[in-house]
């Protein structure tokens, strides 16, 4: 497997996928999303693997979002392709037949929070931060954030996080049910492996069926994801989006006009 932006490690039946762009806070460019889809699919098909851990390289970031520099010049059409691709890959994580645990080792912002939420469980290190700051860029989340955050933490808190763009810390994420455990950073992978080793002792067939059934709880056929993809794409036509992205890249506060 020739992966440029990920590490793919196998040990004791556990596949650990590490997003490996630490100098860019592990931001998800299109190539990384593609590799992630490929890696998850490989792990899903491999009978020797009982579970998957997704984490980020380095001590600071799990994933700080989609790659802003890459998408800054996208047309609405390209933005739609980007959102569709991300949804596709994150859906494949959510629908994986093996348990997928996000080991959130730092910032999980935007696409990083969305990636963590697509996993079946989340464990956070004490320094982790979760948020959907897209509104500060003049865009809506594009990888499932409006839908999965609402499912996980409820409408009121999700709305607040999505509208303010404020991030929450690991303990608050735990009290909201967004993460299962908070541990010291050096314990993160150990905790994830401990959970997977418990599951490894159970029926793999029942385990994969349970994953399917838990997903089935959420009403099938809802239109929210499509609405989000369209709204994400439409954001790319607005001045606020161009201003928000330019301000980020120029490291200055954004001056939004609401246009
Ligand atoms: N896309 C592209 N590049 C990103 C990025 C992203 N989402 N997040 C961080 N980076 C890059 C920075 O541009 C910087 O690159 P440079 O060294 O070439 O200038 C590098 O990663 C380090 O980030 P920096 O901002 O200097 O680190 P920090 O510790 O001061 O702040 C964050 C960390 C995560 C708070 C900050 O990087 C941030 O706000 N990132 C964007 C989060 C976001 O809006 N995500 C949603 C995207 S849709």
């Amino acid at each position: 497997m020739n992966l440029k932006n990920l590490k793919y490690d196998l040990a004791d039946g556990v596949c650990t996928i590490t997003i490996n762009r630490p100098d860019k806070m592990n931001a998800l460019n299109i190539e990384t999303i593609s590799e992630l889809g490929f890696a998850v699919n490989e792990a899903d098909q491999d009978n020797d693997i009982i579970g998957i851990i997704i984490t980020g390289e380095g001590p600071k970031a799990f994933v700080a979002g989609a790659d802003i520099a890459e998408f800054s010049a996208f047309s609405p059409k390209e933005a739609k392709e980007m959102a569709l691709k991300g949804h596709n890959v994150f859906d494949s994580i959510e629908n994986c037949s093996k348990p997928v645990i996000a080991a959130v080792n730092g910032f999980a912002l935007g696409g990083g929070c969305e990636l963590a939420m697509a996993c079946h469980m989340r464990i956070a290190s004490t320094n982790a931060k979760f948020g959907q700051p897209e509104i500060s860029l003049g865009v809506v989340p594009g990888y499932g954030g409006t839908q999965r955050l609402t499912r996980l933490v409820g409408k009121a808190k999700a709305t607040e996080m999505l509208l303010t763009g404020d991030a929450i810390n690991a303990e608050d994420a735990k009290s909201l049910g967004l993460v299962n455990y908070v541990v010291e950073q050096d314990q993160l992978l150990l905790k994830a492996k401990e959970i997977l080793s418990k599951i490894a002792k159970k029926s793999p067939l029942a385990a994969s069926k349970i994953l399917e059934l838990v997903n089935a709880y959420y009403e099938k056929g809802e239109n929210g994801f499509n609405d989000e993809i369209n709204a994400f794409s439409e954001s790319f036509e607005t001045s606020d989006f161009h201003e928000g992205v330019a301000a980020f890249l120029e490291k200055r506060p954004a001056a939004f006009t609401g246009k």
Side-chain angles (χ1 to χ4, degrees):
M1 209 183 307
N2 188 18
L3 300 170
K4 231 173 92 187
N5 305 284
L6 304 180
K7 290 189 199 165
Y8 186 96
D9 298 304
L10 289 181
D12 305 322
V14 174
C15 169
T16 305
I17 297 171
T18 308
I19 316 288
N20 189 22
R21 301 184 74 214
D23 53 332
K24 293 291 172 194
M25 297 278 158
N26 300 321
L28 297 174
N29 58 5
I30 303 286
E31 189 178 52
T32 307
I33 286 276
S34 294
E35 290 185 1
L36 185 58
F38 179 77
V40 169
N41 188 46
E42 283 286 303
D44 200 7
Q45 305 296 316
D46 186 336
N47 289 334
D48 294 334
I49 291 175
I50 54 107
I52 301 168
I53 298 171
I54 299 181
T55 193
E57 182 64 28
K60 280 189 77 173
F62 172 67
V63 165
D67 191 317
I68 300 170
E70 183 180 66
F71 73 59
S72 62
F74 277 6
S75 66
K77 182 169 174 283
E78 288 170 314
K80 187 156 188 169
E81 281 162 14
M82 172 191 162
L84 283 168
K85 179 152 195 65
H87 274 256
N88 203 356
V89 170
F90 287 12
D91 286 351
S92 75
I93 293 171
E94 188 164 64
N95 294 316
C96 184
S97 64
K98 294 161 185 175
V100 186
I101 299 181
V104 181
N105 54 306
F107 291 111
L109 301 177
C113 190
E114 291 167 309
L115 171 59
M117 292 191 295
C119 298
H120 301 126
M121 289 168 263
R122 285 149 292 285
I123 303 170
S125 56
T126 48
N127 64 318
K129 294 263 189 309
F130 295 82
Q132 297 289 160
E134 288 89 345
I135 194 159
S136 305
L137 299 172
V139 68
V140 304
Y143 288 163
T146 58
Q147 307 302 296
R148 290 197 177 95
L149 189 63
T150 307
R151 285 175 183 172
L152 281 165
V153 307
K155 188 175 176 183
K157 194 66 194 178
T159 304
E160 180 192 336
M161 287 175 69
L162 290 159
L163 291 184
T164 62
D166 287 347
I168 57 171
N169 66 27
E171 283 300 337
D172 288 344
K174 181 163 172 275
S175 68
L176 286 165
L178 186 55
V179 306
N180 298 54
Y181 297 96
V182 179
V183 297
E184 294 301 325
Q185 200 170 54
D186 61 359
Q187 298 298 305
L188 197 54
L189 294 182
L190 289 175
K191 185 69 192 172
K193 286 176 184 167
E194 180 192 312
I195 295 173
L196 290 177
S197 71
K198 278 189 192 171
I199 299 170
K201 296 193 184 85
K202 318 287 184 194
S203 155
L205 273 182
S208 76
K209 200 67 194 170
I210 286 167
L211 290 171
E212 208 180 302
L213 291 167
V214 171
N215 285 338
Y217 168 79
Y218 301 102
E219 209 184 318
K220 298 260 170 107
E222 57 188 320
N223 291 322
F225 285 108
N226 285 331
D227 290 351
E228 183 190 79
I229 291 168
N230 289 329
F232 178 74
S233 149
E234 283 157 19
S235 306
F236 280 66
E237 283 177 317
T238 67
S239 305
D240 276 0
F241 166 68
H242 293 293
E243 167 60 11
V245 166
F248 175 81
L249 296 174
E250 290 159 27
K251 301 186 188 297
R252 61 171 173 80
F256 291 122
T257 57
K259 302 269 166 50

